[in-house]
Amino acid sequence: MRKYNIAMIIVAAILLELTSSIQYYMARRGVEKDMVQKASVDMKQNQRVTRVKAEVESAVHNYAATMRNAIETPDNYYSLSARMVIDNPHIVGAGIAFRPGYYARLGKDELYAPYAYDEHPDITAQNLKKKKAVPQVCTRLLPFDYTNRDWYRHTLSSDSCFWTDPYVDKGGTFIVMCTYTMPIKDGTGRNVGVLFADVPLEEVTTMGNSLYEGIDRSGLIVFILQIVGVLIMALIIWRAAVVYKRQESKKKADPEKEQLTQKVLKLTEVNRKLVKRNMELAEKLQKLSQSTNTYYYQ
């Protein structure tokens, strides 16, 4: 029974930990969902977003000719993408993604997508007003298979420019952003790649950062409570183990006492049987005495 109780305590502790973790995860997912919904409304109704979209579209179209001319020198795409980020305050990332195998000697798995991005984008209310921060631009190849992304497939198949729906950047910044894309053609007029620019939805991201900070503070409290609960459970288990060991050690330390106790129990049972037998004999003697007296009287 004691072992069963310990098992129940362990199961209860595990369930408590899982419940707290799931609640924290669902809270973050809820914030992310609310941010994306807010961003969708912002994209459709906010005049500032309309102006930003127009500026981004203009910037991408202005760079399109330069990108086409650099097809023979693909290494230049890193610097060209970086220049897009530096020259346009609304763009935090830009690049060009080519068809698989177009530059077979470059890239990885026949994929070549030079990309430049602001390593630490300052999405704050103060910086939005000043716009004086110099982007810390880094360049690299896209680290994922972009051929299965909607913005890439839709742009090539439709041969037209495309705005993605709002999404949360999972790369660590948790910025809500949209991506604008444009097909790039080679000298034969064939679509060979997709020029793209990442644009943050700044007001939504600022709101989301404050929400995430609140959730992280709550998460710290939950984590502390979980640690306390684990320590309490560990103390209970330790105490139960100590008591169990003491009982087992007592049994092993005094075997003669245990044997004596068993003998006493057996003697008690024998004595009970003897008492019962004597009472039966006394009853028989009494009946025999009564029958003898009756015979002499007759």
Side-chain angles (χ1 to χ4, degrees):
M1 181 61 70
R2 185 176 293 103
K3 294 181 179 179
Y4 176 79
N5 292 335
I6 294 174
M8 290 296 293
I9 292 173
I10 295 174
V11 171
I14 295 174
L15 291 177
L16 178 62
E17 293 291 320
L18 289 176
T19 301
S20 300
S21 301
I22 292 173
Q23 289 176 342
Y24 181 64
Y25 173 76
M26 293 303 295
R28 289 190 67 91
R29 287 293 301 272
V31 171
E32 179 179 317
K33 183 178 179 180
D34 292 340
M35 289 168 63
V36 172
Q37 290 178 347
K38 174 66 171 60
S40 299
V41 175
D42 195 60
M43 283 287 292
K44 296 177 182 178
Q45 299 180 355
N46 194 293
Q47 294 181 356
R48 188 201 66 82
V49 172
T50 302
R51 175 177 57 81
V52 170
K53 288 176 65 177
E55 293 179 6
V56 171
E57 291 173 4
S58 177
V60 172
H61 284 270
N62 290 338
Y63 272 89
T66 306
M67 293 291 186
R68 294 191 196 97
N69 295 333
I71 287 181
E72 300 300 328
T73 56
D75 291 336
N76 290 338
Y77 284 121
Y78 290 100
S79 59
L80 292 174
S81 300
R83 181 51 55 187
M84 287 183 65
V85 176
I86 295 172
D87 292 344
N88 297 275
H90 300 300
I91 296 176
V92 296
I96 182 168
F98 286 93
R99 287 182 180 275
Y102 191 78
Y103 292 106
R105 64 183 180 85
L106 301 175
K108 182 180 180 182
D109 299 329
E110 296 190 343
L111 299 178
Y112 186 64
Y115 177 61
Y117 62 97
D118 188 352
E119 188 175 17
H120 301 290
D122 190 1
I123 309 299
T124 61
Q126 294 80 4
N127 192 52
L128 295 180
K129 294 178 181 179
K130 296 179 181 179
K131 289 294 181 183
K132 292 182 180 180
V134 178
Q136 301 178 24
V137 179
C138 298
T139 58
R140 65 173 179 176
L141 292 174
L142 284 181
F144 54 84
D145 184 2
Y146 52 82
T147 58
N148 58 7
R149 300 300 175 93
D150 290 339
W151 56 266
Y152 177 85
R153 294 187 299 179
H154 184 277
T155 303
L156 287 184
S157 61
S158 65
D159 190 22
S160 61
C161 299
F162 176 66
W163 275 103
T164 67
D165 292 330
Y167 62 93
V168 178
D169 175 30
K170 299 297 181 61
T173 62
F174 292 99
I175 294 176
V176 182
M177 63 175 60
C178 291
T179 298
Y180 181 66
T181 63
M182 179 181 180
I184 297 296
K185 304 178 184 294
D186 61 8
T188 63
R190 183 172 72 100
N191 288 333
V192 295
V194 174
L195 178 62
F196 61 92
D198 296 331
V199 183
L201 299 180
E202 295 158 341
E203 290 89 348
V204 180
T205 299
T206 303
M207 176 194 69
N209 288 340
S210 62
L211 291 174
Y212 276 125
E213 289 174 0
I215 290 180
D216 289 336
R217 287 193 295 269
S218 300
L220 178 61
I221 296 174
V222 171
F223 178 74
I224 293 174
L225 292 176
Q226 289 176 339
I227 293 297
V228 173
V230 170
L231 292 176
I232 293 174
M233 291 297 176
L235 179 61
I236 293 174
I237 295 171
W238 176 76
R239 290 294 301 170
V242 169
V243 172
Y244 180 76
K245 286 183 178 180
R246 286 178 180 176
Q247 292 178 348
E248 291 295 323
S249 62
K250 286 182 179 180
K251 292 180 180 179
K252 295 179 180 179
D254 197 2
E256 294 182 359
K257 182 177 180 181
E258 183 68 21
Q259 293 177 359
L260 181 61
T261 302
Q262 295 295 329
K263 290 181 179 180
V264 170
L265 292 175
K266 289 181 180 180
L267 290 174
T268 302
E269 180 67 18
V270 171
N271 184 60
R272 186 186 64 80
K273 292 181 179 180
L274 289 174
V275 171
K276 182 178 180 182
R277 180 63 178 168
N278 291 334
M279 291 180 65
E280 292 177 352
L281 290 174
E283 291 179 356
K284 289 182 178 180
L285 288 173
Q286 185 178 5
K287 291 180 180 179
L288 181 60
S289 175
Q290 291 177 353
S291 61
T292 303
N293 293 333
T294 302
Y295 173 77
Y296 284 121
Y297 177 76
Q298 291 178 349

